């Protein structure tokens, strides 16, 4: 009978329909049994039955009938196979030649003939098991024939011939009994061995084995046009051939030695592209084939080149594959496979090139070991050559072209990063003088900054901004090797950041980052000015304070970048205080800057900072003058401050106690507390404790928050100061295990009453919050 469907598909369809008929038959038989029981039970009601393919009438079964049958048949086939192996390998020698031949022939004929009768009776699964045993017996027959009748023949050659004969026999057997599923796949599996074994028998070598595997893959691919599952076998065989070709190409010591592996790889590439051309779902075959072609052609020139230049050659070979994106004349599978292969090679080369650039950039950290060690700029000692930046730039161009061809933004972002990496590292990796390296890297960094400011695409803007930040940090670090380079590079970068911050059309985050960079570079240049002046470090703070002063003077003129500029200027001010080591003059100047900024209504909070800085400058000056009794200077300030606060509270009953009494109380209590902690006598702590107690009681009586908290804190600190020697003495007398044990008990107690303690803490916070 001729049908439009392939035999394998029609066979699978018939099997599915038979399975459905079997399930329907089981259901109808179960329904019939239930109806019979219903008829034979007058007045009774049979047990409820579950409607389905097989309604159970008894206890639940853990395995269905087909699965149990398959297990039994598989187990029986395995036992028969083991028995046959034992007979062939152990009992063979105890029989004569005639007996051996008769036994094997009879058993094999019986095993291969029994499935015919079993199929006629409808016992298909049993026939499959017996046929599997028969196929195994044919393998044992071939082995027995070699061991007894042809022991002098070459084993590899005999195995090749036996595999070919067995494949032909199994194919004919499966064609005769089409209801059996095992013989035809077994024949295809056996057909994988004749050519490779024959090649090894004629001329042993990896390339001969590779060609044999490739020829086998061609036959499998031809078979896959009719039987789809043969494609998997073809993929395995071709993969083995390509792996052999790649290994031989990489191990070749010369271009001439790499020609033969290249021919094998190109033949495999042709097979992959042909498979994708014929089968729409085989784009992976075209991808693997294209990669094999690149590896084969690149392997011919690889032995005579450095690794970096060899990678560049592979990149150039892969670029034409990207053109398949627009190759409308090619089938879709071939187009996708070729384009993906080209993109994969470009990505691999780009990653390898980037990994070679990173150590060069990180090497500039060595300058931190000795800043300004070089008096003149020499050459960059870390330049291996121009292949790496060239590969990065070519990869960037390919990514940009893909972005245009595919109309997608992701490749454009990758192109920006790769292009920046290639241009930034080109001068250093080429071994140019350091002055030229800095000039080129500054130009690349500026170009990235301009792109971050003006690009309409968000992804490109972010990528360019990150590249500009990394480039600026790296070139700034390298400039620390010389004084002239530091001033030149940092000055240019600061000017560029200031220009970027002033560029109005740019997004606010980019402008803010540029403004912070401008403040940072200005601070760095001023610190470098102090270092060049050969003055003491404490004097470096004076020029640095010019940065927060300028930020405070500009104020609203800074526009949208005002807040980030002021934050960066505040950090510069803290740096100035650290450089001055807390000198009174620097503290006073910082207070003046904060007071000037606090003049504006939206920066009133800086008045507190100004007051704190003025107070700190005063106490530092008093400490430098050797004053041991700060109360003589604080009480004259505290009394009028409290009077002013009292008058303000009378005029404005809603005024906070911190505003009215906080500055006056803190002016005396805090300096006295610091003096009391360093005073070994008892009079000052006693007087301070009494004053703090009075202030605390007054705050509690008047329900004022500032006196209550300030007085209570000072009183607790004085008490702790007085008890500290005794606590230390007791702790020294206790065994070492006692403090951890006490801490553990405390934690257990707190944990046991955690909820109640938390509730009490909330009540305390609410009570303090109600104070004024």
């Amino acid at each position: 009978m001729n049908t439009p469907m392939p035999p394998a598909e029609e066979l699978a369809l018939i099997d599915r329909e038979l399975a459905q008929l079997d399930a329907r038959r089981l259901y109808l038989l179960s329904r019939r049994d239930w109806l019979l029981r219903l008829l034979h039970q007058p007045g009774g009601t049979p047990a409820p039955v579950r409607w389905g393919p097989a309604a159970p009438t008894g206890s639940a079964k853990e395995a269905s009938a087909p699965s149990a049958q398959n297990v039994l048949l598989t187990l029986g086939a395995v036992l028969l196979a083991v028995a046959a192996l034992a007979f062939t390998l152990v009992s063979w020698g105890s029989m004569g030649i005639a007996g051996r031949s008769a036994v094997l022939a009879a058993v094999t004929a019986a095993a291969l003939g029994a499935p015919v009768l079993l199929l006629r009776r409808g016992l298909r699964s049993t026939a499959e098991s017996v046929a599997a045993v028969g196929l195994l017996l044919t393998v044992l027959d071939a082995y027995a024939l070699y061991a007894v009748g042809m022991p002098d023949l070459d084993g590899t050659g005999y195995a090749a011939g036996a595999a070919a004969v067995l494949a032909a026999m199994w194919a004919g057997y499966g064609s005769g009994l089409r209801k059996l599923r095992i013989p035809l796949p077994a024949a295809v599996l056996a057909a994988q061995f004749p050519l490779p074994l024959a090649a090894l028998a004629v001329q042993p070598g990896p390339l001969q084995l590779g060609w044999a595997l490739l020829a086998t893959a061609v036959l499998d691919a031809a078979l896959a046009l009719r039987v789809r599952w043969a494609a998997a076998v073809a993929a395995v065989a071709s993969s083995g051939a390509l792996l052999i070709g790649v290994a031989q190409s990489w191990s070749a010591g010369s271009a001439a030695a790499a020609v033969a592996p290249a021919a094998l790889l190109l033949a495999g590439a042709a097979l992959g592209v042909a498979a994708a051309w014929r089968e729409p779902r085989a784009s992976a075959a075209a991808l693997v084939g294209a990669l094999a072609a690149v590896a084969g052609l690149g392997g011919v020139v690889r032995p005579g080149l450095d690794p970096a230049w060899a990678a560049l050659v592979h990149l150039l070979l892969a670029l034409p594959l990207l053109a398949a994106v627009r190759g409308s004349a090619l089938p879709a599978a071939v187009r996708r496979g070729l384009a993906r292969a080209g993109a994969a090679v470009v990505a691999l080369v780009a990653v390898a090139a980037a990994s070679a650039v990173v150590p060069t950039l990180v090497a500039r950290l060595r300058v931190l070991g000795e800043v300004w060690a070089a008096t003149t700029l020499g050459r960059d000692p870390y330049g291996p050559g121009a292949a790496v930046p060239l590969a990065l730039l070519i990869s960037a161009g390919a990514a940009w072209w893909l972005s245009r061809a595919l109309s997608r933004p992701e490749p454009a972002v990758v192109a920006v990063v790769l292009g920046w990496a290639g241009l930034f590292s080109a001068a250093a990796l080429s071994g140019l003088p350091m002055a030229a390296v800095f000039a080129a890297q500054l130009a690349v960094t500026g170009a990235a900054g301009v792109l971050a400011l003006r690009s309409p695409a968000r992804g490109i803007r972010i990528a360019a901004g990150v590249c500009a930040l990394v480039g600026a940090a790296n070139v700034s670090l390298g400039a620390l090797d010389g004084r002239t380079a530091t001033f030149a590079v940092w000055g240019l970068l600061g000017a560029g950041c200031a220009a970027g911050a002033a560029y109005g059309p740019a997004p606010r985050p980019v402008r803010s980052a540029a403004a912070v960079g401008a403040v940072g570079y200005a601070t760095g240049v001023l610190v470098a000015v102090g270092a060049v002046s050969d003055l003491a470090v404490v004097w470096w703070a004076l020029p640095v304070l010019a940065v927060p002063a300028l930020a405070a003077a500009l104020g609203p003129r800074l526009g949208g970048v005002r807040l980030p500029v002021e934050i960066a200027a505040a950090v510069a001010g803290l740096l100035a205080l650290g450089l001055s080591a807390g000198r009174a003059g620097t503290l006073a100047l910082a207070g003046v800057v904060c007071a000037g900024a606090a003049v504006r209504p939206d920066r009133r909070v800086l008045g507190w900072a100004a007051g704190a800085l003025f107070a700190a400058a005063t106490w530092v000056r008093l400490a430098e003058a050797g004053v041991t009794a700060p109360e003589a200077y604080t009480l004259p300030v505290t009394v009028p401050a409290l009077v002013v606060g009292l008058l303000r509270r009378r005029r404005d009953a809603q005024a906070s106690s911190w505003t009215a009494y906080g500055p006056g109380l803190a002016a005396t209590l805090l300096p006295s507390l610091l003096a009391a902690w360093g005073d070994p006598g008892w009079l000052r702590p006693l007087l301070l404790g009494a004053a703090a107690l009075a202030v605390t009681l007054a705050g509690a009586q008047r329900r004022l928050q500032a006196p209550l908290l300030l007085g209570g804190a000072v009183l607790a600190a004085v008490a702790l100061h007085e008890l500290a020697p005794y606590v230390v003495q007791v702790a020294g007398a206790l065994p070492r295990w006692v403090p951890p044990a006490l801490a553990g008990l405390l934690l257990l107690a707190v944990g046991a009453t955690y909820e109640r303690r938390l509730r009490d803490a909330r009540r305390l916070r609410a009570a303090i919050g109600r104070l004024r």
Side-chain angles (χ1 to χ4, degrees):
M1 293 185 296
N2 295 326
T3 60
M5 298 179 61
E9 294 185 4
E10 184 179 4
L11 181 61
L13 177 62
I14 293 173
D15 290 340
R16 287 195 298 270
E17 292 181 354
L18 289 175
Q20 293 176 359
L21 290 176
D22 292 339
R24 181 64 178 173
R25 184 173 180 275
L26 289 175
Y27 165 71
L28 293 176
L29 289 175
S30 301
R31 180 65 177 169
R32 180 176 180 276
D33 293 339
W34 183 80
L35 293 174
L36 289 174
R37 289 197 305 272
L38 180 63
L39 293 175
H40 289 84
Q41 293 180 4
T45 302
V49 65
R50 183 183 66 182
W51 292 84
T57 58
S59 60
K61 297 180 176 58
E62 296 182 356
S64 62
S67 62
Q69 177 188 11
N70 292 334
V71 170
L72 293 176
L73 293 176
T74 303
L75 182 60
V78 171
L79 292 177
L80 287 176
V82 171
L85 287 172
F87 169 78
T88 304
L89 299 177
V90 178
S91 301
W92 182 261
S94 61
M95 302 179 63
I97 296 177
R100 301 171 189 173
S101 302
V103 170
L104 275 178
V107 173
T108 303
L112 294 178
V116 179
L117 300 177
L118 293 174
L119 289 175
R120 290 178 182 177
R121 295 180 177 272
L123 302 176
R124 178 176 174 177
S125 299
T126 306
E128 293 278 6
S129 301
V130 176
V133 175
L135 298 181
L136 176 62
L137 288 174
T138 58
V139 178
L140 297 178
D141 290 340
Y143 167 73
L145 181 62
Y146 172 75
V148 175
M150 307 176 186
D152 297 331
L153 291 180
D154 178 62
T156 305
Y158 178 81
V165 173
L166 289 176
M169 290 177 55
W170 292 352
Y173 183 71
S175 299
L177 299 176
R178 291 187 175 273
K179 293 183 178 181
L180 297 178
R181 299 180 180 179
I182 293 179
L184 288 179
V188 174
L189 182 62
Q192 307 306 306
F193 298 98
L195 291 179
L197 292 176
L200 293 177
V202 174
Q203 188 177 1
L207 282 179
Q208 288 72 24
L209 177 61
W211 281 107
L213 288 173
L214 187 60
T216 304
V218 172
L219 298 177
D220 294 334
L223 179 62
L225 297 178
R226 299 179 59 86
V227 183
R228 288 185 176 180
W229 53 261
V233 184
V236 173
S238 60
S239 299
L242 293 179
L243 288 176
I244 291 175
V246 171
Q248 293 298 307
S249 177
W250 285 354
S251 61
S254 62
V259 172
L264 177 60
L265 291 173
L266 291 177
L271 175 61
V273 174
W277 201 292
R278 179 63 176 80
E279 175 57 47
R281 293 177 294 182
S283 61
L287 186 149
V288 175
L291 293 177
V294 173
L297 295 176
V300 176
V301 298
R302 181 197 56 79
L305 298 175
D306 291 334
W309 288 103
L312 182 60
V313 169
H314 285 78
L315 175 62
L316 295 176
L317 292 172
L319 288 180
L321 298 177
L322 296 176
V325 171
R326 293 185 174 179
S328 58
L330 299 175
V334 177
R335 187 167 62 251
R336 289 194 303 269
L338 295 181
R340 290 172 181 173
V345 175
V346 172
L348 289 175
V349 174
V351 170
S355 63
V357 169
V358 170
T360 303
L361 301 179
V362 175
R364 281 183 168 171
L365 290 173
R366 301 178 185 178
V367 74
L368 296 178
E370 189 176 0
V371 178
W372 289 355
T375 56
T376 59
L377 295 178
R379 294 180 178 270
D380 195 320
Y382 313 112
V388 170
L390 190 57
L392 288 171
L393 293 176
I394 295 176
S395 301
W400 188 264
W401 184 86
L402 276 179
S403 176
R404 297 297 183 184
L406 300 176
S407 298
R408 296 186 61 87
E410 294 85 358
V413 175
V414 176
V416 170
V417 176
L418 294 177
W420 169 83
L423 293 173
F424 191 83
S425 60
L429 295 178
S430 300
L432 296 177
M434 287 301 299
V437 171
F438 284 142
Q441 290 181 345
L442 284 173
V444 174
T445 302
V450 171
L451 185 61
L453 291 170
R454 306 192 63 175
S455 175
R458 183 172 181 270
I460 294 178
R461 188 168 60 246
I462 294 175
V466 172
C467 291
L469 180 63
V470 174
N474 189 262
V475 72
S476 301
L477 190 65
L480 289 175
D481 198 32
R483 298 185 179 185
T484 305
T486 300
F487 285 103
V489 171
W490 287 18
L492 289 174
L493 288 174
C497 290
Y503 185 67
R508 178 173 293 183
V510 179
R511 295 177 57 218
S512 299
V516 171
V519 174
Y521 280 113
T523 304
V525 170
L526 292 175
V527 171
V529 169
V532 171
S533 64
D534 292 333
L535 297 174
V537 176
V538 295
W539 294 103
W540 297 4
L542 296 179
V544 174
L545 277 177
V547 174
L550 181 60
L554 293 177
R557 298 180 182 178
L558 296 174
V561 299
R562 179 183 180 184
L563 182 59
V565 167
E566 290 180 343
I567 293 175
V571 174
L574 293 177
L575 175 62
L577 296 179
L579 291 173
S580 67
R583 292 295 182 92
T586 307
L587 291 171
L589 288 176
V592 170
V593 173
C594 291
V599 173
R600 296 188 174 92
D602 55 345
R603 295 295 185 264
R604 297 289 188 185
V605 69
L606 293 178
W608 290 93
L613 289 171
F614 285 138
T618 302
W619 297 122
V620 169
R621 181 66 66 186
L622 292 176
E624 292 176 352
V627 174
T628 58
E631 293 81 4
Y633 298 91
T634 58
L635 287 176
V637 177
T638 297
V639 173
L642 293 177
V643 172
V644 172
L646 179 61
L647 295 176
R648 179 175 181 180
R649 288 274 297 173
R650 287 181 178 179
R651 296 180 57 185
D652 184 10
Q654 300 300 324
S656 172
S657 61
W658 288 102
T659 304
Y661 305 118
L665 293 175
T668 293
L669 291 178
L670 297 182
S672 298
L673 179 61
L674 294 177
W677 270 86
D679 192 349
W682 59 272
L683 181 59
R684 185 192 299 274
L686 177 61
L687 295 176
L688 179 59
L693 178 60
V695 172
T696 303
L697 294 176
Q701 181 183 6
R702 304 286 296 180
R703 301 181 62 82
L704 298 176
Q705 192 178 99
L708 177 62
L709 294 182
L710 280 175
V714 172
L715 182 60
V718 171
L720 181 61
H721 172 265
E722 295 302 311
L723 292 176
Y726 302 101
V727 173
V728 173
Q729 183 178 0
V730 172
L734 290 176
R736 294 188 176 181
W737 59 269
V738 173
L742 293 176
L745 292 175
L746 177 62
L747 292 176
L748 290 177
V750 173
T753 60
Y754 175 78
E755 186 175 1
R756 183 165 58 86
R757 303 299 182 193
L758 186 60
R759 184 170 59 251
D760 295 341
R762 289 172 179 170
R763 291 176 180 174
L764 178 61
R765 184 182 63 181
I768 294 176
R770 288 192 293 270
L771 301 179
R772 289 173 291 177

